[in-house]
Amino acid sequence: MADRTRTLAIRLFGAHQPVDNPRDLFGRQRELDTLTGAVIDSHMHAVIYGPRGSGKTSLVRVFGDLADARGVSVIYLSCAGGGDFGELMVPYLDEIGPAAFGMRADDFANAMALVRTAPTPRSVATMLARIERDDVVLILDEFDRLEDKETKGQIALLIKLLSDMRSRARLIFVGISGDVGDLIDVHASVRRHILAVGLAPIADADVERFIQTTSQAIGLQFDGDALSMLRWLVCGSPYHMRLLSLHSCLCAIEQDHRFADTDTVLAGVVRARAIWRETNMRDDALFATLVRENRFPLSAIEAFAQTAAMRLEFTPEDLASALAATGTDPAIMPQLIEALSPALGRLDDKTMRLAFEDVLAPQFLLTFCATERSATKTGQSRIISEEGQ
């Protein structure tokens, strides 16, 4: 029975893979409805942006299934860091195939040979304008990895040409970004053809609903304090919501418990953190040292972590405001930034925008704070005991 429950928990929480069913897309129904209405009904292009772990891939996969059910062909490919416009777009045309263009195989091959000879925005748009059967949506995932500015400019021109030609093909760009302008820079004449869908943190009520609904489906129940702790730790991140909840449930299952309390959650987050540690040993060691040394109040570290978790980039002013809100002297902000600087990257000297190199890290920093707060009740540092395991 325990093995079956464990298997069910892993499947339902789905912490390590995107969801593809609308009923599993907790907290994103508004974004899904907006995307569907704009791309399918209004024939617009779209940009989906947000931090890693915010559910971009899950959103676009569920959208793809809904689009397919409505007779729209969806082609999903990933962008590479290099490559020119032709290398990016020609594979999409190959994937569409001759049927959508109403062509025989040899006619399609001849048309594609011309495009390959000169893969420009106009030649690609002209080819896509020949689609005469189903509408087609081309999803360009990991668009933030596209580094060539000239190619991005050609993509912007392609959007305009497709709209001017009233093509049945639409483009959806997906990437890690805090602002749509950082992901794709388009001219004012093109913006009216594009819908921007930014993925903000999931609302607390939706986080709680997901945890309660999914845990109850496997025969477990989180008490109020445990639920509040998980909600506080995940900071609206779909990835952390699933991961931390899953391992909390697995701890309860292994102890043959039907109820999960805060101790169960703390045990679960320690296990989840051990998995993350294998991919980021540097930040794990940094966070453990920072919390254990007691140089800064835990409330200050928590304010830092939550500020970073709720946005892709943040500024010293954002941190100072967060520290002041906890009653901590904002004057310690430079020292706290310095202490965490090995984990920070993408610094802009002019605007002083800050970000964690590992965008999944802030929530794990919060788990260190949570375990240390619990340790004050027992007099034994859980962080020290974890390192000895």
Side-chain angles (χ1 to χ4, degrees):
M1 179 65 71
D3 288 342
R4 288 197 296 270
T5 305
R6 177 185 176 87
T7 300
L8 181 62
I10 294 172
R11 180 172 65 83
L12 292 181
F13 279 102
H16 304 291
Q17 58 191 9
V19 304
D20 53 15
N21 192 308
R23 69 171 179 267
D24 297 326
L25 195 67
F26 277 81
R28 297 296 186 210
Q29 190 60 49
R30 179 181 62 83
E31 290 88 346
L32 180 61
D33 291 342
T34 301
L35 183 64
T36 302
V39 176
I40 297 180
D41 299 329
S42 300
H43 304 278
M44 296 180 68
H45 307 280
V47 178
I48 302 173
Y49 65 96
R52 183 177 287 110
S54 59
K56 299 182 299 296
T57 300
S58 292
L59 176 63
V60 80
R61 283 172 62 105
V62 172
F63 165 82
D65 285 348
L66 293 178
D68 182 70
R70 294 181 56 175
V72 177
S73 297
V74 178
I75 298 176
Y76 179 102
L77 293 176
S78 182
C79 298
D84 57 22
F85 177 79
E87 292 173 333
L88 178 65
M89 294 307 305
V90 167
Y92 285 95
L93 297 175
D94 289 332
E95 285 289 326
I96 294 173
F101 297 93
M103 295 180 178
R104 296 182 306 179
D106 55 346
D107 291 334
F108 178 73
N110 291 334
M112 284 300 301
L114 294 175
V115 174
R116 292 181 210 280
T117 301
T120 64
R122 184 163 294 278
S123 66
V124 171
T126 300
M127 186 69 182
L128 289 172
R130 297 177 67 178
I131 295 175
E132 62 179 35
R133 294 190 179 179
D134 296 337
D135 287 354
V136 175
V137 173
L138 310 181
I139 298 176
L140 289 75
D141 199 4
E142 298 185 285
F143 193 72
D144 54 287
R145 295 179 58 196
L146 187 63
E147 300 170 351
D148 186 68
K149 291 184 178 180
E150 181 180 354
T151 300
K152 287 190 174 183
Q154 291 174 306
I155 289 289
L157 178 56
L158 175 62
I159 295 171
K160 185 177 188 307
L161 291 171
L162 289 175
S163 300
D164 291 345
M165 294 177 180
R166 303 181 68 84
S167 170
R168 303 188 71 167
R170 273 90 77 192
L171 308 179
I172 296 181
F173 307 92
V174 185
I176 298 171
S177 179
D179 180 84
V180 65
D182 290 338
L183 187 65
I184 179 169
D185 184 17
V186 296
H187 303 293
S189 61
V190 179
R191 289 174 187 161
R192 67 179 183 273
H193 303 297
I194 297 181
L195 168 76
V197 181
L199 297 190
I202 293 179
D204 286 348
D206 287 318
V207 171
E208 290 194 2
R209 183 167 63 91
F210 168 80
I211 297 171
Q212 289 175 323
T213 302
T214 310
S215 60
Q216 288 172 0
I218 62 174
L220 292 174
Q221 177 71 49
F222 283 84
D223 68 27
D225 290 340
L227 193 61
S228 296
M229 177 177 285
L230 276 172
R231 183 193 65 219
W232 179 79
L233 288 170
V234 305
C235 296
S237 163
Y239 171 77
H240 294 91
M241 174 182 74
R242 293 175 178 276
L243 180 71
L244 301 186
S245 301
L246 168 63
H247 286 282
S248 298
C249 284
L250 293 180
C251 286
I253 292 169
E254 291 171 6
Q255 298 173 19
D256 198 25
H257 292 169
R258 297 183 61 184
F259 294 91
D261 56 16
T262 55
D263 284 340
T264 308
V265 171
L266 288 169
V269 300
V270 167
R271 291 174 50 157
R273 193 166 67 224
I275 296 172
W276 170 72
R277 180 187 304 131
E278 295 303 313
T279 64
N280 195 341
M281 298 182 68
R282 181 199 64 186
D283 287 1
D284 180 84
L286 174 67
F287 295 167
T289 300
L290 179 70
V291 171
R292 185 178 61 236
E293 286 182 343
N294 201 29
R295 289 175 53 199
F296 304 98
L298 277 179
S299 59
I301 300 174
E302 291 163 351
F304 194 116
Q306 289 181 311
T307 299
M310 299 298 284
R311 61 192 78 191
L312 191 62
E313 294 180 338
F314 51 95
T315 66
E317 289 74 21
D318 295 327
L319 294 173
S321 297
L323 291 174
T326 66
T328 304
D329 184 357
I332 72 168
M333 179 263 297
Q335 290 76 30
L336 192 52
I337 291 176
E338 178 62 26
L340 283 164
S341 61
L344 301 177
R346 294 191 295 149
L347 305 183
D348 187 324
D349 292 334
K350 294 181 180 179
T351 62
M352 279 303 294
R353 292 186 299 171
L354 308 173
F356 276 88
E357 286 184 352
D358 181 353
V359 297
L360 302 178
Q363 284 86 345
F364 289 108
L365 176 53
L366 281 177
T367 67
F368 278 105
C369 296
T371 53
E372 190 64 12
R373 281 195 181 279
S374 178
T376 62
K377 300 177 182 178
T378 63
Q380 179 183 9
S381 172
R382 291 174 181 247
I383 294 175
I384 294 175
S385 64
E386 288 166 28
E387 292 177 345
Q389 290 178 358

